[in-house]
Amino acid sequence: MGFYVRTSLRAGPFRFTLSQGGLGVSAGIAGLRAGMSPRGNVVRMGRGVISYRTTAADRDVVMHDVVSLVPAQPSDVVQQLQKAAKRRPYWPFALAALLVAGLVTGRFGLVIVAVGLPCLIWVALRDRAARTVVVMYDVTDEAAWRFDHLVNSITGLQRAHGFWLITASGAITSTYQFKVYAGASRLLRRLNASARLAGPRILVTNVAVPTLTAGSLSVHFLPDRVLFRDGRHVADLAYQHLQVAVEQARFIEEGPVPRDGTVVDSTWRYVNVKGGPDRRFKNNARLPILLYGRLILRSHSGLNLVWDASQAQLVHAVANALHQSIAARPPVIHP
């Protein structure tokens, strides 16, 4: 399928390779124990069955050994991501110490820097490995078709000239508010959003990860779950627990109008109670009213995300793909 992007993965100096026999890990630097490597997670999906396995390299294994597999639950991946995100990198401290040592030792400074540089590289690679979670997917059959459809529909949002996350909403409750907010019934606050193929930096995986992002918030759609990240906080949700709705939303545009937006009406920047222009205000501009597609993601656990796009059909395509994943038979989890 088109969503597979790599056959092996790198995390710092470690290489992970998936085969029918399991997950192999090797280290590219002599003396760097495999016990310092990130966990490797294997997720196999197909024919209504899903299996999760996690491997941690044994501390006595140095290079090119296939690690043993132990059962893991889906939530383990999120726990690993949260732990990796909190780890502090040590290479900046090592770099500072090396520079100070080079400066205070006079003519031997260059020698010390030259000797210490390989150590600095070792620390940087170790930091990268410690701050990485590896997930290898083996997705086949109907599950592969569904995920491929989801990847294509979310990346299709890149064609929209306008895409936003609604961050706040307030009802217009007075006549004065009605007049000065162009006759709107609600006031919305929004952030520019984007759709792309990029998972969290701390997640290394062999599949394309369609992502919706706005500000510090990002929503990553994986074959088996949806990841939500806001700063260092990471949470996940099974597709079967996701609720998706689509609406048509009328929006009064005060800024640039998207080239692909559909203008359905207009209003005045300042209106009177009958909806006409308020003559007391000079330079009372006429504002277009556009019809956008609105994608709403909710869950019983409290999730509530609202996205607007200038092309309604692109939002419908994403909703259809998500509904297919939601409606799929919940897989039987095999350890």
Side-chain angles (χ1 to χ4, degrees), residues 113-145:
V113 171
V115 173
L117 191 58
C119 297
L120 178 63
I121 294 174
W122 183 90
V123 173
L125 290 173
R126 187 182 187 281
D127 283 346
R128 184 176 178 184
R131 292 169 57 85
T132 300
V133 175
V134 176
V135 181
M136 295 284 282
Y137 282 97
D138 182 13
V139 187
T140 59
D141 303 321
E142 190 176 328
W145 177 86

Side-chain angles (χ1 to χ4, degrees), residues 10-30:
R10 278 198 173 276
F14 299 97
R15 179 183 292 276
F16 289 81
T17 305
L18 179 66
S19 67
Q20 291 300 318
L23 187 65
V25 60
S26 60
I29 298 179

Side-chain angles (χ1 to χ4, degrees), residues 71-127:
Q73 297 299 320
S75 59
D76 286 356
V77 173
V78 171
Q79 294 174 1
Q80 293 169 34
L81 289 170
Q82 292 171 338
K83 187 175 180 180
K86 294 177 181 178
R87 289 195 178 105
R88 176 180 296 180
Y90 292 103
W91 72 263
F93 302 100
L95 175 61
L98 183 61
L99 293 177
V100 170
L103 291 173
V104 300
T105 53
R107 58 181 180 175
F108 297 104
L110 290 178
V111 176
I112 291 178
V113 171
V115 173
L117 191 58
C119 297
L120 178 63
I121 294 174
W122 183 90
V123 173
L125 290 173
R126 187 182 187 281
D127 283 346

Side-chain angles (χ1 to χ4, degrees), residues 101 199-200 231 254 326:
E254 297 183 74
I326 294 170

Side-chain angles (χ1 to χ4, degrees), residues 78-79 81-82 218-220 225-230 232-238 301 303:
V78 171
Q79 294 174 1
L81 289 170
Q82 292 171 338
S218 56
V219 183
H220 309 280
R225 75 190 76 195
V226 186
L227 285 179
F228 303 90
R229 186 175 184 186
D230 191 359
R232 291 187 177 183
H233 179 70
V234 182
D236 70 338
L237 191 69
S301 59
L303 175 70

Side-chain angles (χ1 to χ4, degrees), residues 79-331:
Q79 294 174 1
Q80 293 169 34
L81 289 170
Q82 292 171 338
K83 187 175 180 180
K86 294 177 181 178
R87 289 195 178 105
R88 176 180 296 180
Y90 292 103
W91 72 263
F93 302 100
L95 175 61
L98 183 61
L99 293 177
V100 170
L103 291 173
V104 300
T105 53
R107 58 181 180 175
F108 297 104
L110 290 178
V111 176
I112 291 178
V113 171
V115 173
L117 191 58
C119 297
L120 178 63
I121 294 174
W122 183 90
V123 173
L125 290 173
R126 187 182 187 281
D127 283 346
R128 184 176 178 184
R131 292 169 57 85
T132 300
V133 175
V134 176
V135 181
M136 295 284 282
Y137 282 97
D138 182 13
V139 187
T140 59
D141 303 321
E142 190 176 328
W145 177 86
R146 287 196 305 269
F147 186 63
D148 195 51
H149 186 197
L150 183 59
V151 171
N152 292 331
S153 63
I154 292 178
T155 54
L157 286 170
Q158 295 173 346
R159 301 197 302 270
H161 289 273
F163 186 46
W164 308 270
L165 172 67
I166 306 299
T167 60
S169 173
I172 300 298
T173 58
S174 69
T175 302
Y176 175 77
Q177 292 174 345
F178 176 84
K179 289 181 178 180
V180 298
Y181 288 119
S185 59
R186 300 192 70 84
L187 189 64
L188 301 180
R189 186 181 303 146
R190 63 186 186 180
L191 281 176
N192 287 328
S194 62
R196 53 195 176 94
L197 286 177
R201 292 184 61 184
I202 57 176
L203 176 67
V204 176
T205 183
N206 63 323
V207 297
V209 182
T211 296
L212 303 180
T213 181
S216 62
L217 174 72
S218 56
V219 183
H220 309 280
F221 297 89
L222 296 171
D224 60 323
R225 75 190 76 195
V226 186
L227 285 179
F228 303 90
R229 186 175 184 186
D230 191 359
R232 291 187 177 183
H233 179 70
V234 182
D236 70 338
L237 191 69
Y239 283 102
Q240 285 73 26
H241 297 155
L242 187 66
Q243 299 171 0
V244 179
V246 175
E247 298 176 355
Q248 288 189 330
R250 290 166 61 95
F251 192 89
I252 302 171
E253 275 293 356
E254 297 183 74
V257 176
R259 287 181 294 170
D260 56 351
T262 302
V263 179
V264 294
D265 205 346
S266 64
T267 185
W268 299 93
R269 178 65 183 84
Y270 302 101
V271 300
N272 57 36
V273 292
K274 295 183 179 180
D278 192 326
R279 304 297 181 183
R280 296 174 298 173
F281 294 90
K282 296 181 179 180
N283 301 320
N284 192 358
R286 199 172 185 89
L287 302 178
I289 300 176
L290 285 94
L291 191 66
Y292 291 150
R294 177 163 293 172
L295 177 68
I296 304 171
L297 304 180
R298 292 195 178 106
S299 74
H300 290 299
S301 59
L303 175 70
N304 186 41
L305 295 175
V306 181
W307 311 79
D308 278 1
S310 53
Q311 293 190 45
Q313 68 272 22
L314 299 179
V315 169
H316 282 276
V318 174
N320 288 337
L322 288 173
H323 279 133
Q324 290 169 358
S325 295
I326 294 170
R329 184 178 60 180

